[in-house]
Amino acid sequence: MTRPPIEPFRIKSVEPIHLLPQELRIKKIAEAGYNIFKLRAEDVFVDLLTDSGTGAMSQKQWAGIMIGDESYAGARNWFHFEETIKDIFQKKYVLPCHQGRVAENILFSTILKKGDYVPNNTHFDTTRANAMHKGGLALDLPCPEEQSHDSDFPFKGNFDIAGLEALIKKVGPEKVPVVIITVTNNSVGGLAVSMANIAAVKQICSRYHIPLFFDAARYAENAWFIKKYEPGYADWTIKAIAQKMFSHADGVMMSAKKDGLANMGGFLTVNDEALAGKLKELLILIEGFPTYGGLNGRDLEAIAIGLKEALEEEYLNYRIGQIAYFGDLLRNAGFPIVTPTGGHAIFIDAGRLLPHIPPAQFQGQSLTVEFYRRGGVRAVEIGSLMFGGEDPNTGESLSPNRELVRLAVPRRVYSNSHLEYVADIARQINADKQNLRGYKISKAPMYLRHFTCELEEIVKNPAGAISA
């Protein structure tokens, strides 16, 4: 087993957490319609729902908050924010927004027409939903190596290069207004994209005059994997690798709630002056003035500091080492997981763990509910509940490649003891997995149904018929 990493920090402040009695947890999740998003956070013991905006900020970030300038226009924190983003992401124009999905909304509202295609190595939920909401067709083109469950190929987050070129030739470049690379590739296990793959995607985009954008939520973690596993980068700094990555891009969208180490915020940064002007007009309309974009001055300062701290190699060694340790713990508990482990989460293959539950009955959601009932642990399903249903633009049935459960670890929040506790709960679940049941949806919206839907547990009556 990988040795548990030592935290490169000391703890100054603590937040109490409490484990509710099991009978109360069973009641709470039923009252929430078996939807973990509807639980009160105070009723969760170890919260691994997301690493987005849930991290602990550093003393420098808290100090920066105290010098927040809340002027409406031209606050001093804006200039620090802008300078930092231009330095790391290598683009001319910066537009702040209150989180990453607003960057997606602004971009797609500006460049996307109904019937356009948006290829991505793999869209995450809000990116896909924003593209679909504007009438676009969101296509996932992960690399072929991603299909191998057990290989340790370090760059399973890569784009399918041949698939991308084939798509462009088939539909025509005029129907592809943008290509997006998500780093790291969240939906396939938080796995990295290599520099060579990024360069190959850029080469195709340049040939067909298609802009290349990044979803850069976990850019620093991706750069760490390039440094560790891609030949030629071992002696580079993380910052230099990041700058090289973004030199291939025409624009970048980012939720700063991940590798910005902040609790709120995001941005969109581009090189094209005309595009920047159109984006800025929409930003003013729906978010705020271009020097704050829906954020407080103190938020801008915390993000500027956090973007730099995320590039520190000592921090990244700990961060990614903790994820690897967590993966070893869950494997030893008998859980099949996506390998190799990525930068921010462990992805359990619920389809392999619970083959007695049909995929249509949401294997991942069954496991997610059981984590909470057994141990007060909140995880999230990434499978047929999150990505299934019908495409509202085509009516086609949507089906993910795998039924996964993600345990996302907030940055600088939980100790190794917390992760060991989660692994103990996993061991209990594994011993009793045949008794887990499937679920069916009783109420759901059109978009992003996993956030607000309600479910019912499926049971079999003595005659064998299925009922809720």
Side-chain angles (χ1 to χ4, degrees):
M1 180 184 292
T2 304
R3 180 187 182 279
I6 297 173
E7 290 83 354
F9 51 81
R10 295 183 297 200
I11 297 168
K12 274 187 178 178
S13 180
V14 296
E15 176 187 356
I17 57 175
H18 305 283
L19 179 61
L20 297 180
Q22 186 173 34
E23 61 270 19
L24 189 52
R25 298 196 301 270
I26 292 171
K27 179 183 177 184
K28 293 283 187 183
I29 191 65
E31 290 174 345
Y34 298 102
N35 186 333
I36 46 83
F37 285 95
K38 294 188 175 184
L39 290 169
R40 292 172 67 111
E42 63 189 23
D43 294 336
V44 176
F45 186 52
V46 177
D47 200 344
L48 306 181
L49 173 65
T50 181
D51 63 319
S52 178
T54 57
M57 291 198 295
S58 70
Q59 62 183 3
K60 289 183 179 179
Q61 287 178 293
W62 283 111
I65 283 175
M66 296 305 295
I67 58 169
D69 176 2
E70 305 307 336
S71 302
Y72 184 87
R76 62 175 172 269
N77 309 110
W78 153 251
F79 295 102
H80 185 199
F81 178 88
E82 181 187 40
E83 175 189 17
T84 302
I85 291 170
K86 285 184 175 181
D87 180 34
I88 297 170
F89 298 91
Q90 305 285 290
K91 301 291 167 275
K92 296 177 182 177
Y93 306 99
V94 178
L95 295 90
C97 49
H98 84 268
Q99 57 180 337
R101 69 192 62 184
V102 177
E104 297 162 357
N105 185 10
I106 291 172
L107 179 66
F108 293 152
S109 295
T110 303
I111 68 171
L112 202 60
K113 304 185 302 297
K114 185 175 177 60
D116 281 347
Y117 291 81
V118 183
N120 196 318
N121 51 342
T122 313
H123 291 82
F124 200 57
D125 55 359
T126 61
T127 325
R128 182 186 307 279
N130 267 307
M132 291 165 60
H133 187 260
K134 305 303 178 293
L137 304 170
L139 297 181
D140 294 337
L141 295 172
C143 67
E145 292 88 346
E146 186 271 329
Q147 295 297 316
S148 175
H149 292 294
D150 301 313
S151 84
D152 284 327
F153 178 61
F155 296 110
K156 285 184 180 178
N158 279 353
F159 222 113
D160 179 356
I161 301 300
L164 176 61
E165 182 141 34
L167 170 70
I168 297 170
K169 287 181 176 178
K170 178 181 178 181
V171 305
E174 68 282 356
K175 295 289 289 181
V176 184
V178 67
V179 173
I180 300 172
I181 300 178
T182 302
V183 291
T184 55
N185 191 338
N186 190 348
S187 296
V188 303
L191 299 174
V193 182
S194 72
M195 191 74 78
N197 187 257
I198 291 169
V201 173
K202 176 60 176 177
Q203 187 177 42
I204 291 173
C205 289
S206 296
R207 188 183 313 143
Y208 293 102
H209 306 289
I210 299 171
L212 174 61
F213 273 66
F214 276 69
D215 175 349
R218 299 173 181 89
Y219 77 100
E221 292 170 6
N222 199 88
W224 185 93
F225 282 107
I226 290 173
K227 179 179 177 68
K228 186 169 178 65
Y229 293 111
E230 189 162 3
Y233 293 96
D235 295 330
W236 286 47
T237 65
I238 299 294
K239 180 179 177 181
I241 293 171
Q243 289 172 325
K244 177 71 172 177
M245 284 166 48
F246 297 124
S247 72
H248 294 290
D250 298 290
V252 178
M253 302 178 288
M254 182 170 176
S255 166
K257 297 164 67 176
K258 286 86 168 176
D259 275 353
L261 304 182
N263 299 133
M264 185 55 68
F267 61 85
L268 182 59
T269 182
V270 300
N271 269 333
D272 185 281
E273 183 177 9
L275 176 60
K278 294 176 183 178
L279 295 169
K280 190 177 294 186
E281 289 179 9
L282 189 54
L283 178 78
I284 295 171
L285 179 65
I286 68 173
E287 277 283 271
F289 194 71
T291 62
Y292 76 88
L295 292 168
N296 298 307
R298 52 187 177 270
D299 293 324
L300 295 169
E301 190 66 25
I303 294 168
I305 295 168
L307 287 169
K308 296 173 185 176
E309 290 184 347
L311 296 170
E312 294 173 1
E313 194 167 339
E314 187 177 35
Y315 154 74
L316 287 168
N317 288 338
Y318 162 72
R319 166 70 174 163
I320 298 172
Q322 188 182 47
I323 301 300
Y325 176 62
F326 192 22
D328 284 347
L329 291 172
L330 289 168
R331 270 194 295 256
N332 288 342
F335 272 34
I337 68 171
V338 173
T339 58
T341 53
H344 74 284
I346 299 300
F347 291 73
I348 301 165
D349 194 328
R352 295 172 71 186
L353 182 71
L354 305 173
H356 66 284
I357 299 175
Q361 294 179 16
F362 307 123
Q363 296 155 315
Q365 190 66 12
S366 178
L367 180 57
T368 298
V369 170
E370 194 66 14
F371 261 117
Y372 180 73
R373 289 198 290 209
R374 292 259 178 176
V377 177
R378 182 157 61 171
V380 68
E381 185 263 11
I382 298 185
S384 292
L385 182 62
M386 182 178 287
F387 291 128
E390 291 186 352
D391 187 319
N393 298 310
T394 65
E396 294 179 1
S397 177
L398 301 172
S399 179
N401 291 329
R402 281 190 271 182
E403 303 295 329
L404 303 177
V405 169
R406 187 187 71 179
L407 301 170
V409 182
R411 293 160 180 81
R412 306 185 291 204
V413 170
Y414 289 117
S415 70
N416 296 325
S417 295
H418 290 103
L419 304 185
E420 290 160 5
Y421 168 80
V422 176
D424 285 341
I425 300 302
R427 192 171 289 106
Q428 295 175 28
I429 294 172
N430 191 44
D432 194 36
K433 61 186 178 183
Q434 290 300 325
N435 289 319
L436 271 64
R437 299 165 175 168
Y439 289 80
K440 67 177 184 179
I441 295 175
S442 58
K443 182 180 180 182
M446 180 178 295
Y447 295 102
L448 296 170
R449 66 183 185 181
H450 57 291
F451 284 137
T452 58
C453 73
E454 295 179 7
L455 301 106
E456 297 175 356
E457 191 170 18
I458 295 172
V459 297
K460 290 186 178 180
N461 63 30
I466 293 177
S467 62

